Amino acid sequence: MKRLLAALAIIGLFPFASANAQAAWSMESFDVDLTVRQDGVLEVRETIVADFLTARHGIYRYVPYQGYDDQGKKYVLDVKLQGVMLDGLVAKASSSRRDGNVVWKIGDPDATIAGRHTYVLSYLVEGAIGRYESFDELYWNATGFGWDVPLPAATVSVKLPDGVEPTQSACYTGDYGSAEQYCEIETFAGETRVRSSYSGEALTVAVGFPKGAVAEPPFWKRVLAWLRMYAVWFLPLAVLAFAYRAWRRHGADAPLGTIVAQYEPPAGLSPAETRALLSQSAQAKDLTSTIIDLAARGHLAIQESEKKGILRTSKEYALVSAKEPVVDASLKDFERTLLAALFDGQAGRNVPISSLRKTFHTHVQEFVKGVTVSLTTQGYFVGDPGRVRAIWMGIGGAFIIAGFFALAFAAPLMISGGILMVFGWFMPKWSPKGLEAARHASGYKEFISKVEKYRAPWMEDQNVFFRALPYAIAFGLGAKWAKAFAHLQMQPPNWYHGANMAAWSSVDFEKNLQGWTTSMMVAAVPSSRSGSGGGGFSGGGFGGGGGGSW
């Protein structure tokens, strides 16, 4: 409901925004003179008569200089402002580029004007002539669609070089893609005049002329234009080469070699550390194995109870801190922090899982960071994996964010950012000590994953099940490990207390552990084509854009 109301509120703003723009000013006329020079440069002169109904600084105008034409081909134009006149006098104008547009902001930021005023914008455009097999063409969106007030009935004059006559012409009106032609065309010697029939309609013109009548850009300019369009794609290649070399020098690990099954975990490493060592990344799910490991080491107990409802009976769980401090020199900093977050240092405290679900998710990232810091401090990594990844991800993310603000560079920047982020994930590296421990951890994982293959008489001891269970859960093999011991008539561990222990089974036990520990990590969510030859359209070709007042 909140999202619906928000959407309706946003939609409701548009009429007010339009009304405010129209209340601020209106456009009385829009006349465009286009002169095609023999060297292929287009001279554009726009005369806009504005009537400011309230005090404003002036107007702004934006014109696309890059994008894709109606054929889907990329283009880059060279657009240069020659000058702006306001009521016959030179006016202040700042120029900038944004989202593939050149933007001209006209007016004095320290002064305002009101009433009727005439603006004349003059600018040059290179690269706006379409080249076809049998003719050349100027296809120009004269008014654009992005104005904040309705357009008047616009006029456009197209002048060709001396001695050059148009071979075909057309005009289009309406929204982008419209093939409507509510416009009038008159042709004189070397000049085509077009006028839209109705106000409020955008106007696009297309004039064809003989092939070769207007010079093509020199070779060096064509090369420069090509580089401007496609040189940006060298960026991802350069980033790829850089990232690969950096990974080879600083991130590539030596191969683990042949993995031999190990029947004990790596000495001194907790289940969470063992899994994080192998993947070179701690995760929130390591919380499950850590809680079970701490319970097995006497730091806490798990209490299961039943809650009877109208239709069914459900189970509830609680964590209970040890009544007396447990002497455990191997307790890691992240484990101490976790115990403090769970019990706030209170001995014998009973904490329902339902209460943790509301707040404990805020401690999860602290726990994840603590695991990688512990491994790094003990010398298993060359640099903290979290910090190494954060640096690369941050740089990659900056590239991607930059892509949102640079139309022509968007794809190359985003691809480059993606490359950095992918390589960044693999950049953490084991130290020699870490490499050896990873081999051992892989062997222990091999043993757990193929427990049926490595079954031995000594495994009938149920203590083996409970000792390895936290590691099996950490490896994502808890269900398989529990199933392998389902045939034994095992008793619940002394750190697990329940209402119906007679029906206890290793399979159900493991499944329940995964369920309620996962719920601790999740925050509770409150409910709630050629234009002049025909087949063109409005907005086709080059030009366009829009503007408004400020």
Side-chain angles (χ1 to χ4, degrees), residues 177-202:
S178 169
E180 294 177 346
Q181 296 181 305
Y182 295 117
C183 45
E184 303 171 359
I185 301 177
E186 295 179 313
T187 301
F188 299 89
E191 181 178 352
T192 301
R193 296 178 182 176
V194 180
R195 178 180 177 83
S196 55
S197 302
Y198 305 104
S199 61
E201 300 279 354

Side-chain angles (χ1 to χ4, degrees), residues 241-277:
F242 165 78
Y244 177 76
R245 183 178 180 184
W247 173 76
R248 290 289 300 172
R249 294 183 63 182
H250 304 293
D253 288 298
L256 292 176
T258 303
I259 301 302
V260 179
Q262 303 290 332
Y263 298 98
E264 295 292 337
L269 289 183
S270 70
E273 289 175 316
T274 303
R275 194 214 57 79
L277 175 70

Side-chain angles (χ1 to χ4, degrees), residues 37 73 82 96 277 302 316 406 428 471 513:
R37 297 191 332 203
K73 296 180 180 179
Q82 296 296 100
S96 62
L277 175 70
I302 300 170
E316 291 189 344
Y471 292 89
L513 289 177

Side-chain angles (χ1 to χ4, degrees), residues 296 462-470 490-493 495 504 509:
Q462 68 174 8
N463 289 330
V464 174
F465 171 77
F466 292 113
R467 284 201 307 270
L469 179 62
M490 292 190 294
Q491 297 298 315
W495 43 265
W504 187 90
F509 175 66

Side-chain angles (χ1 to χ4, degrees), residues 18-284:
S18 177
N20 287 338
Q22 293 182 42
W25 76 299
S26 64
M27 190 187 303
E28 294 191 358
S29 64
F30 192 158
D31 303 307
V32 183
D33 294 304
L34 304 174
T35 301
V36 180
R37 297 191 332 203
Q38 203 282 326
D39 61 2
V41 175
L42 176 66
E43 295 180 357
V44 183
R45 178 186 173 95
E46 298 177 349
T47 303
I48 299 172
V49 177
D51 186 7
F52 297 108
L53 308 179
T54 62
R56 309 293 286 172
H57 296 289
I59 66 171
Y60 63 88
R61 173 80 165 105
Y62 65 90
V63 176
Y65 69 88
Q66 63 185 12
Y68 294 87
D69 63 19
D70 55 297
Q71 302 292 322
K73 296 180 180 179
K74 186 176 181 179
Y75 71 83
V76 176
L77 306 178
D78 188 6
V79 181
K80 295 179 180 178
L81 182 66
Q82 296 296 100
V84 180
M85 304 293 287
L86 172 58
D87 298 330
L89 301 175
V90 176
K92 290 185 177 181
S94 63
S95 182
S96 62
R97 291 175 182 257
R98 181 177 180 183
D99 297 333
N101 297 287
V102 57
V103 182
W104 300 310
K105 196 172 183 181
I106 306 163
D108 189 342
D110 299 320
T112 58
I113 56 177
R116 190 172 182 273
H117 298 274
T118 301
Y119 292 87
V120 179
L121 290 76
S122 300
Y123 56 96
L124 302 179
V125 183
E126 292 189 51
I129 304 301
R131 309 290 177 172
Y132 297 91
E133 188 173 332
S134 59
F135 66 97
D136 292 337
E137 175 189 66
L138 173 64
Y139 190 7
W140 188 257
N141 180 358
T143 60
F145 305 97
W147 292 93
D148 63 0
V149 293
L151 288 164
T155 64
V156 180
S157 169
V158 181
K159 298 177 182 178
L160 300 177
D162 291 341
V164 179
E165 295 291 332
T167 58
Q168 53 196 21
S169 60
C171 60
Y172 306 95
T173 58
D175 296 333
Y176 181 84
S178 169
E180 294 177 346
Q181 296 181 305
Y182 295 117
C183 45
E184 303 171 359
I185 301 177
E186 295 179 313
T187 301
F188 299 89
E191 181 178 352
T192 301
R193 296 178 182 176
V194 180
R195 178 180 177 83
S196 55
S197 302
Y198 305 104
S199 61
E201 300 279 354
L203 179 60
T204 298
V205 298
V207 177
F209 41 89
K211 187 76 176 172
V214 173
E216 294 194 22
F219 177 75
W220 68 270
K221 280 196 173 183
R222 294 200 298 271
V223 171
L224 183 60
W226 185 90
L227 289 175
R228 290 176 64 190
M229 286 190 290
Y230 300 108
V232 292
W233 290 104
F234 288 105
L235 178 62
L237 295 176
V239 169
L240 177 63
F242 165 78
Y244 177 76
R245 183 178 180 184
W247 173 76
R248 290 289 300 172
R249 294 183 63 182
H250 304 293
D253 288 298
L256 292 176
T258 303
I259 301 302
V260 179
Q262 303 290 332
Y263 298 98
E264 295 292 337
L269 289 183
S270 70
E273 289 175 316
T274 303
R275 194 214 57 79
L277 175 70
L278 284 179
S279 66
Q280 299 184 332
S281 171
Q283 298 178 8

